[in-house]
Amino acid sequence: MNAYDQSVALRRPLYTGEGVQQARQAIDGLPAGASPIPVPAFEAQVRLEARVFLSLLENRNCYTRFPLGIAAMQPMSDGIALYVESEERAAEILFELLPALAPGGELHGLPGLRIVKRLRTAIELRVLDQPTRLRLSGLPARFWRSTEQTMLSKWIDPDAMQLCWRAAPRTWTTAEREHLSQWEDDNDRFVQVQQRGSWLGSGLLRRAALLHTVANTFLADGYRGAAADVTRLVVRSSHVRDRGPGPQHIVAALLDPVFGLPLRLTRFRGDTDEHYGSDQHFVLEDPGKTALLDLRASIERPPSGLGPKLWEAILRRLPSQGFAGNLSSSFLAGLCDLGTS
């Protein structure tokens, strides 16, 4: 491995949370000239990952050591593997993703998603009849079984809901097909806008470790907002005061020409704005104006519901160094397009 390859292998773990050796093996297996963080080979995989990332942001019912409860991810051209932090977080993820039909006819979860394989330390999920692959890893096999039971006993009444992923493990249910035709019609303008910008959610999922490897983030959540003809993702992050590198390092990493995303900073408000105090607000857009990332970072105290042992574990894993580059407020402001409000 030459010096350039070594520097690439050392930088990729900042984005993915992998070990250096794992990153080297992944990079060695890529075709010549490929991005060190590959993009999915199929649009269906892009859309799946965008939905997964949104689910991780929108549903935060338990505090975790890592901001999204994901310690690391391994991005591949044919799928992605997520290393889940805990059994509780795994149950939460499965609850949000696996499709179930409520008594009123509302479908919860991702239509067509099924558990298709059980491995020693992981389970694999796919959307039926689509070239997709999502592997949830990090727990022993027996824990994945108990995780499913935890999900059912804590959040779902199996007597009142139709568990599509259990009732029809190899086929789509009628309810799933109806939901798809009603709410995800390719001819619908809103659906088309979201599909055009789904690369952003997928790209962020493949780089989600940035939240905890280059910044002092202890909690992250967010949602998909409305914007004319643009997919808009709002990510809110909470940061520890005066302890480690701040949120501007996440932005610098996302703008990196080798590992980052095709984004440009169009708006920044931070310490130079007395009305915002120590908070920082970044807006990043792609040149084609298909997607917008609205990153809102706040310096906050830990919530009262976060136990002292977990808080100490969070403090121990905070990074000591951030992402290299000129990250002053004046420099960030200078990156913004002139005339952008």
Side-chain angles (χ1 to χ4, degrees):
M1 180 176 286
N2 59 41
Y4 173 77
D5 291 336
Q6 289 179 353
S7 67
V8 169
L10 290 173
R11 180 158 286 196
R12 172 166 150 149
L14 294 177
Y15 291 80
T16 64
E18 302 165 292
V20 173
Q21 187 61 36
Q22 188 180 22
R24 284 176 175 169
Q25 292 174 352
I27 291 171
D28 287 344
L30 294 174
S35 169
I37 299 181
V39 297
F42 301 100
E43 183 62 26
Q45 180 69 29
V46 174
R47 296 178 187 178
L48 170 62
E49 293 178 13
R51 291 286 295 270
V52 171
F53 184 70
L54 184 63
S55 177
L56 291 176
L57 286 177
E58 286 185 331
N59 304 283
R60 303 293 287 112
N61 297 314
C62 59
Y63 295 117
T64 52
R65 182 183 172 208
F66 296 92
L68 296 176
I70 304 295
M73 56 283 311
Q74 186 177 15
M76 301 159 283
S77 60
D78 64 341
I80 191 170
L82 304 180
Y83 292 81
V84 183
E85 173 188 331
S86 65
E87 187 176 357
E88 185 178 7
R89 185 57 171 138
E92 188 181 47
I93 292 172
L94 290 179
F95 167 69
E96 294 301 333
L97 292 180
L98 290 173
L101 185 65
E106 181 180 358
L107 188 75
H108 176 88
L110 183 58
L113 190 68
R114 300 292 189 270
I115 299 174
V116 297
K117 190 181 297 185
R118 298 180 184 274
L119 306 168
R120 186 168 59 87
T121 60
I123 58 173
E124 190 165 297
L125 300 93
R126 293 177 183 267
V127 178
L128 295 173
D129 308 321
Q130 294 183 11
T132 57
R133 182 184 177 199
L134 170 64
R135 180 170 292 183
L136 300 178
S137 187
L139 301 175
R142 70 180 190 279
F143 280 13
W144 286 110
R145 293 285 188 183
S146 61
T147 292
E148 293 174 41
Q149 189 56 47
T150 298
M151 172 192 66
L152 292 173
S153 61
K154 189 172 183 179
W155 290 303
I156 291 179
D157 179 2
D159 296 328
M161 298 185 71
Q162 178 189 354
L163 307 180
C164 303
W165 51 283
R166 280 191 171 181
R170 293 179 177 83
T171 60
W172 289 65
T173 65
T174 301
E176 289 174 292
R177 294 190 183 280
E178 290 177 350
H179 177 92
L180 204 66
S181 63
Q182 181 177 1
W183 299 106
E184 300 186 37
D185 182 0
D186 289 344
N187 296 317
D188 182 84
R189 182 169 179 77
F190 175 79
V191 173
Q192 292 174 350
V193 169
Q194 297 305 320
Q195 289 178 352
R196 283 199 303 269
S198 59
W199 63 267
L200 177 59
S202 172
L204 291 173
L205 181 66
R206 290 174 172 242
R207 294 161 176 80
L210 288 172
L211 289 169
H212 64 260
T213 60
V214 303
N216 57 356
T217 318
F218 70 85
L219 187 70
D221 65 8
Y223 56 93
R224 186 172 63 186
D229 294 329
V230 176
T231 294
R232 176 170 171 258
L233 279 177
V234 178
V235 178
R236 301 176 298 201
S237 56
S238 299
H239 300 264
V240 183
R241 182 182 297 276
D242 301 327
R243 183 110 178 218
Q248 69 271 26
H249 292 267
I250 300 172
V251 175
L254 289 175
L255 297 176
D256 182 78
V258 177
F259 283 91
L261 292 170
L263 295 168
R264 61 188 180 192
L265 185 64
T266 58
R267 188 171 187 268
F268 166 72
R269 298 187 77 175
D271 295 340
T272 57
D273 186 332
E274 62 182 4
H275 297 294
Y276 272 64
S278 57
D279 292 349
Q280 292 183 316
H281 183 198
F282 310 88
V283 176
L284 300 95
E285 298 180 63
D286 73 298
K289 296 188 180 300
T290 63
L292 180 153
L293 173 61
D294 187 333
L295 179 59
R296 305 172 184 182
S298 300
I299 303 298
E300 297 180 336
R301 296 181 180 275
S304 58
L306 202 159
K309 288 185 178 180
L310 178 55
W311 180 242
E312 286 300 321
I314 291 172
L315 294 180
R316 285 195 299 270
R317 67 105 180 111
L318 292 181
S320 58
Q321 295 181 332
F323 196 86
N326 187 343
L327 300 168
S328 67
S329 296
S330 58
F331 176 79
L332 288 171
L335 287 178
C336 300
D337 294 343
L338 293 177
T340 301
S341 60

